[in-house]
Amino acid sequence: VKVRGADDVDIALLDLEKGRRRWRVASASRHDLGQLRRHRGDMPDGDVQYLQQAYQHALNNPWGVLQP
């Protein structure tokens, strides 16, 4: 927190949850996909499925190239 004056205050927050180390890729990927499902909003189901498939492909083959 920086206070320069009565009406001039800067506040910075750290999200320590983001810095938490995950030991297994599987648990981190499950968390990521859960976050996607919770925050997807009006994203169409087909787009979500495509993204999940691409994500899973990237996890299984990190050096491969995604094909549309």
Side-chain angles (χ1 to χ4, degrees), residues 31-65:
H31 175 75
D32 289 346
L33 291 174
Q35 292 287 81
L36 169 66
R37 283 189 290 276
R38 275 204 327 267
H39 298 288
R40 72 182 212 168
D42 293 332
M43 187 177 195
D45 289 338
D47 291 351
V48 173
Q49 289 175 345
Y50 178 78
L51 181 61
Q52 287 177 332
Q53 289 170 353
Y55 188 90
Q56 189 63 44
H57 177 77
L59 285 174
N60 293 337
N61 187 13
W63 305 112
V65 177

